[in-house]
Amino acid sequence: TPSAVQKIKQLLKDKPEHVGVKVGVCTRGCNGLSYTLEYTKSKGDSDEEVVQDGVRVFIEKKAQLTLLGTEMDYVEDKLSSEFVFNNPNIKGTCGCGESFNI
């Protein structure tokens, strides 16, 4: 989303050695999978690259099918600010919101 693009641009401004962010999934939580998000200095050999308004997002190979069709947003309210993933593939989430399953 435009909000996520703006936030990533802002975060990368202070990190000139990084070319974008990498999104993936890891096994964690009550329901199996959790998102990972980190800065990256280069595109991995098997990463899928998505460019949106000049922002480069790399998707790890093992997460590509899991994240297919997912929208990444950045949301701020009075108590928190976070990246949110709107994933149409999710079949269920845990009560604490830490993990999901497909």
Side-chain angles (χ1 to χ4, degrees):
T1 64
S3 179
V5 167
Q6 287 307 112
K7 186 60 179 181
I8 292 171
K9 282 182 179 179
Q10 178 187 354
L11 292 170
L12 288 173
K13 188 192 292 186
D14 299 332
K15 300 188 178 329
E17 69 278 10
H18 294 91
V19 297
V21 294
K22 186 175 287 196
V23 179
V25 293
C26 66
T27 304
R28 187 176 120 194
C30 322
N31 238 1
L33 296 172
S34 185
Y35 299 105
T36 62
L37 184 62
E38 60 190 9
Y39 298 109
T40 188
K41 294 181 180 179
S42 63
K43 178 183 185 286
D45 290 339
S46 55
D47 291 347
E48 179 73 26
E49 181 176 0
V50 177
V51 179
Q52 179 71 40
D53 298 325
V55 169
R56 296 171 74 188
V57 177
F58 303 96
I59 304 167
E60 293 178 348
K61 180 180 175 87
K62 70 177 185 176
Q64 290 172 8
L65 289 177
T66 305
L67 296 175
L68 193 63
T70 298
E71 176 189 69
M72 183 175 159
D73 195 6
Y74 182 75
V75 179
E76 288 186 76
D77 62 30
K78 291 181 180 181
L79 299 175
S80 67
S81 58
E82 63 184 336
F83 285 100
V84 175
F85 296 88
N86 300 312
N87 188 337
N89 305 305
I90 291 178
K91 301 279 190 265
T93 59
C94 65
C96 63
E98 289 288 320
S99 63
F100 63 93
N101 66 37
I102 298 213

